[in-house]
Amino acid sequence: MKILAVCLGRPEVLAGKKYKTGINKLAIQGPIMIDAEGLVGDAILDRKHHGGVDQAVYIQGSLDIDWWSKELGRELHHGMFGENLVIEGLESQMLAAGDRFSIGDVLLEITSPRMPCATFAAHMGDPKIVKRYTQAARPGAYARVLQGGMVEAGQPVTYTPYAGERVTMADMMATYGRKLSDTDRARYLSAPVHYKTRDAILSGEM
């Protein structure tokens, strides 16, 4: 595996919206710093729902982008889905919380899938994309930063699967907003899922 693209967003207003968003990210040349909050210089404007330590870096696999390009019938540029890193040969569907990626000095740990929203639908110009995206269960994945450093396109990536119970991105999308069975509840709590997911489980919301 290797990094195909490193992408940053800038504040912009989407058609039909009044607020600014950084969802449309574009590939950059050269190295960029990743710290505990993500890629330095990336625009994250809705801090209530985006960004934060357990959602610092958004990863997409090249195989997911290829699949969506065929599904939507158009070429998707790197960063189109709001991703920060595009990893060659990766299919994010079966990534699990706790899986890790090493990129030079940087160490990332997967926490949760990306859930589509109204901003995503507006950006894609398709009001039905939220439902299609959820049903397809090819969401890409958010990661926390265990160790920061510099990254750039072309760097090799080492993937290390989580050794414990696997809670995949597809699993988490399928159960989003739903009550978990006792078995799934125990499985989710045993994995290093996003802290908001853990809080929702412990509070009885999931």
Side-chain angles (χ1 to χ4, degrees), residues 35-51:
D35 62 19
E37 291 288 330
L39 278 69
V40 174
D42 187 34
I44 302 173
L45 304 176
D46 180 5
R47 288 282 176 172
K48 181 179 179 180
H49 299 103
H50 302 288

Side-chain angles (χ1 to χ4, degrees), residues 60-70 76 78 83 86:
Q60 267 286 2
S62 67
L63 299 182
D64 297 309
I65 295 173
D66 291 345
W67 188 90
W68 275 111
S69 293
K70 293 178 182 178
L76 301 174
H78 290 156
E83 67 270 19
V86 180

Side-chain angles (χ1 to χ4, degrees), residues 137-148:
R138 291 174 176 269
Y142 284 115
R144 59 173 65 96
V145 180
L146 298 182
Q147 183 171 308

